[in-house]
C-alpha cells in the first residue's frame, strides 16, 4: 500500500485528504515511501490558521492557472509569511517535479496581491504599527525574485517590499530601542545591568523595553538576508549591519542564557517594575535583587533563536569578526537542548521539565520541528 501511494504521489501529485489521516497517534506509523512534506502542503495550503484566524492561499495548476480559492483571509500577516517561506523552501527541493510548481504559484500570487505596508511614511508620527513579525513575512520575496524563478511577476512587488521594510527598520532602530530609543523608559538609567541592555530592539512597539527570543528570528535574521540582497552592510544605522545584528544576539544572550541548564529563558525586560513585565512569572523589581528575565524555558522561543543563529551564520561572510561569537552561542544552545530531548525524539513545551514534567506540559511539535531544522541546517553548513 505504501509503495502504491508513493507511486500515485509521484505520477499525479495527489495526496490523501485530511479526512484520511489517522486521528490518533497510536494509529500512526512512519512510512518511508510517503513524501510527507508533499502530503502536508497539498492538504493544508488553502486552509491553515494564524492563531485563531483562518488563512490560506489560492491553488493553481503547474501552468499557473488558478484551480481553487483560499478557505480563509489572505491578509498580509507574519504567519502566512512563514507558511509561504516554508512552502517555497519545499518547492526548491522538488522544483524538478511538476507537482511542486503549483506551490510556487500559490505563494507568488499571495505575495503579489498582499503587500507589506510601509508605516514610516513622510509626515507620519505614530510608528506603533511597525512590527518585526510582519517584516519577517517579507522573507518570502527573496526566492520569488530569483532570476530562475518560474515567473518574474512578483519581482517588482518584492523590491518595493524590501525597500519599505528597510525604511521601517531604520525607524524602528531609532524609536523602539532599549535605552536610547525615544519610546524607551530606561534611557537615563545608571544601573549597570540595565545599561548592558541598551541597543536591544523591543520585541514589539507595545512591549516597551522587552526583548524576546522570537524577535531574533523576526528581525535580526531578516536583516542578514537584506545585507546580501542589497550587497551593502550599512542599511540600517549607517555603520555595520553585521555588528548591529550580533549586538541583538549578544544583548539577549547575556540576559537569557542559563549556563547551568544550557537553555534560554523566553524573554527579559529592562524595566521589571512596569505593568506588562510584572505579570511574568519570575520577574522581581525588589531593589538590589532585581530579576529581569521570565522564569520559563519555552520551547518554541528557543527554536526561533536557534534557527535565527543558523540563518544569520549562513548569510554572514566567513571572514566576519562576529562569526566566532555567534558560533559559540549556537554550539552552546545545541548542546544544551540535546540534553532535554525525550526518548520519542520530541521536546517538551517547557523544555527543562523533561523527567518530571509539569502538570499540563506536553511533547510539542513546533519546537521539535524548529530544533530539528536548526540542527540539520547547522550540520549541513559545517557549524
Amino acid at each position: 500500500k505504501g509503495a502504491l501511494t508513493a507511486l500515485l504521489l509521484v505520477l499525479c501529485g495527489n495526496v490523501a485528504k485530511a479526512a484520511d489521516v489517522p486521528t490518533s497517534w497510536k494509529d500512526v506509523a512512519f512510512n518511508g515511501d510517503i513524501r510527507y512534506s508533499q502530503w502536508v502542503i497539498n492538504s493544508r495550503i488553502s486552509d491553515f490558521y494564524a492563531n485563531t484566524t483562518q488563512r490560506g492561499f489560492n491553488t493553481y495548476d503547474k501552468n499557473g492557472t488558478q484551480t481553487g480559492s483560499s478557505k480563509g483571509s489572505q491578509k498580509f500577516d507574519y504567519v502566512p509569511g512563514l507558511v509561504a517561506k516554508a512552502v517555497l523552501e519545499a518547492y526548491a527541493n522538488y522544483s524538478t517535479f511538476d507537482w511542486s510548481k503549483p506551490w510556487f504559484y500559490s505563494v507568488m500570487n499571495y505575495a503579489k496581491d498582499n503587500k507589506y505596508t510601509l508605516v514610516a511614511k513622510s509626515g507620519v508620527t505614530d510608528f506603533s504599527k511597525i512590527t518585526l513579525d510582519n517584516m519577517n513575512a517579507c522573507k518570502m520575496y527573496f526566492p520569488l525574485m530569483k532570476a530562475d524563478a518560474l515567473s518574474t511577476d512578483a519581482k517588482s512587488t518584492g523590491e518595493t517590499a524590501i525597500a519599505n521594510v528597510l525604511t521601517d527598520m531604520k525607524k524602528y532602530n531609532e524609536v523602539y530601542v532599549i535605552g536610547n530609543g525615544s519610546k524607551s523608559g530606561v534611557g537615563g538609567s545608571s544601573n549597570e545591568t540595565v545599561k548592558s541592555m541598551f541597543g536591544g530592539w523591543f520585541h514589539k512597539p507595545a512591549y516597551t523595553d522587552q526583548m524576546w527570543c522570537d524577535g531574533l528570528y523576526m528581525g535580526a535574521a531578516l536583516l542578514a538576508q537584506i545585507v546580501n540582497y542589497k550587497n551593502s552592510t550599512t542599511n540600517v544605522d549607517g555603520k555595520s549591519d553585521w555588528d548591529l545584528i550580533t549586538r541583538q544576539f549578544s544583548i539577549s544572550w547575556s540576559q537569557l542564557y542559563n549556563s547551568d541548564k544550557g537553555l534560554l529563558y523566553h524573554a527579559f525586560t529592562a524595566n521589571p517594575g512596569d505593568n506588562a513585565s510584572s505579570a511574568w512569572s519570575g520577574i522581581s523589581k525588589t531593589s538590589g535583587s532585581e530579576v529581569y528575565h521570565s522564569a520559563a524555558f519555552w520551547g518554541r522561543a528557543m527554536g526561533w533563536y536557534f534557527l535565527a543563529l543558523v540563518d544569520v551564520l549562513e548569510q554572514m561572510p566567513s571572514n566576519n569578526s562576529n562569526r566566532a561569537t555567534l558560533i559559540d552561542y549556537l554550539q552552546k544552545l545545541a548542546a544544551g537542548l540535546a540534553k532535554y530531548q525525550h526518548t520519542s525524539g520530541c521536546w517538551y513545551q517547557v523544555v527543562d521539565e523533561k523527567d518530571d514534567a509539569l502538570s499540563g506540559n506536553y511533547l510539542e511539535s513546533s519546537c521539535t520541528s524548529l530544533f530539528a531544522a536548526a540542527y540539520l541546517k547547522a550540520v549541513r553548513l559545517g557549524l
Side-chain angles (χ1 to χ4, degrees):
K1 183 178 178 182
L4 176 60
T5 302
L7 179 60
L8 288 171
L9 292 177
V10 172
L11 291 177
C12 57
N14 292 330
V15 297
K17 295 178 181 178
D20 297 328
V21 178
T23 55
S24 67
W25 282 108
K26 69 181 190 313
D27 296 327
V28 176
F30 177 72
N31 185 336
D33 294 325
I34 293 178
R35 193 177 280 112
Y36 285 91
S37 55
Q38 183 187 15
W39 188 354
V40 170
I41 292 171
N42 283 357
S43 65
R44 305 314 314 165
I45 195 165
S46 65
D47 181 16
F48 55 86
Y49 279 79
N51 296 314
T52 59
T53 303
Q54 191 173 24
R55 303 287 196 195
F57 305 142
N58 295 331
T59 55
Y60 295 81
D61 65 18
K62 66 180 182 180
N63 299 311
T65 301
Q66 186 172 341
T67 58
S69 299
S70 165
K71 291 182 171 61
S73 164
Q74 291 207 24
K75 179 183 176 182
F76 188 95
D77 181 75
Y78 97 96
V79 175
L82 284 169
V83 174
K85 180 178 184 291
V87 169
L88 288 173
E89 289 186 358
Y91 164 72
N93 281 319
Y94 298 124
S95 60
T96 56
F97 295 96
D98 280 350
W99 49 256
S100 71
K101 291 179 171 58
W103 303 346
F104 177 91
Y105 288 113
S106 287
V107 174
M108 185 198 73
N109 285 286
Y110 166 77
K112 189 174 64 171
D113 296 339
N114 301 272
K115 302 175 177 64
Y116 177 83
T117 302
L118 175 67
V119 177
K121 300 175 183 177
S122 176
V124 172
T125 57
D126 179 7
F127 309 112
S128 60
K129 292 191 182 300
I130 302 176
T131 71
L132 299 178
D133 283 349
N134 280 354
M135 288 188 209
N136 181 71
C138 291
K139 289 176 183 176
M140 67 184 171
Y141 286 107
F142 295 114
L144 293 172
M145 293 188 293
K146 286 184 176 179
D148 61 349
L150 280 175
S151 170
T152 58
D153 280 2
K155 192 172 193 310
S156 62
T157 303
E159 290 169 346
T160 301
I162 299 305
N164 288 344
V165 162
L166 269 179
T167 299
D168 281 353
M169 196 174 277
K170 288 176 187 176
K171 183 59 66 177
Y172 205 91
N173 191 55
E174 295 170 8
V175 177
Y176 301 109
V177 185
I178 297 173
N180 51 8
S182 61
K183 296 295 183 180
S184 178
V186 294
S189 176
S190 59
N191 181 304
E192 290 302 318
T193 300
V194 172
K195 286 171 67 176
S196 71
M197 305 172 189
F198 283 10
W201 289 348
F202 296 6
H203 180 62
K204 287 184 179 179
Y207 300 156
T208 304
D209 293 324
Q210 297 178 14
M211 287 189 79
W212 298 15
C213 280
D214 322 30
L216 279 299
Y217 182 86
M218 309 303 169
L222 170 62
L223 179 54
Q225 281 192 270
I226 291 175
V227 168
N228 287 328
Y229 168 74
K230 299 287 290 184
N231 195 28
S232 168
T233 60
T234 56
N235 294 286
V236 175
D237 65 358
K239 299 175 184 177
S240 167
D241 291 327
W242 292 124
D243 288 351
L244 179 60
I245 289 167
T246 304
R247 192 178 313 133
Q248 302 311 307
F249 281 102
S250 292
I251 292 168
S252 53
W253 185 269
S254 68
Q255 300 302 320
L256 300 177
Y257 182 65
N258 181 308
S259 58
D260 292 333
K261 299 229 176 190
L263 300 174
L264 295 164
Y265 297 104
H266 180 200
F268 75 87
T269 176
N271 188 1
D274 69 8
N275 290 333
S277 302
S278 62
W280 295 353
S281 175
I283 291 288
S284 173
K285 62 180 180 180
T286 303
S287 179
S289 57
E290 294 90 347
V291 178
Y292 298 92
H293 60 76
S294 58
F297 298 101
W298 185 43
R300 190 156 66 244
M302 278 183 279
W304 290 128
Y305 198 102
F306 192 13
L307 193 54
L309 281 166
V310 181
D311 284 357
V312 168
L313 285 162
E314 180 184 35
Q315 300 291 328
M316 185 179 280
S318 59
N319 61 352
N320 188 278
S321 60
N322 292 298
R323 282 187 68 85
T325 296
L326 298 187
I327 289 173
D328 180 56
Y329 298 160
L330 174 70
Q331 294 184 348
K332 285 178 178 174
L333 184 55
L337 287 168
K339 294 188 295 185
Y340 298 96
Q341 188 178 25
H342 186 259
T343 53
S344 66
C346 297
W347 278 262
Y348 276 98
Q349 163 81 336
V350 182
V351 174
D352 62 319
E353 296 289 339
K354 168 178 163 289
D355 298 317
D356 185 20
L358 290 169
S359 175
N361 202 14
Y362 57 95
L363 293 171
E364 208 275 330
S365 60
S366 60
C367 75
T368 296
S369 299
L370 283 162
F371 297 158
Y375 276 121
L376 288 166
K377 187 171 184 178
V379 169
R380 174 169 59 81
L381 295 175
L383 298 170

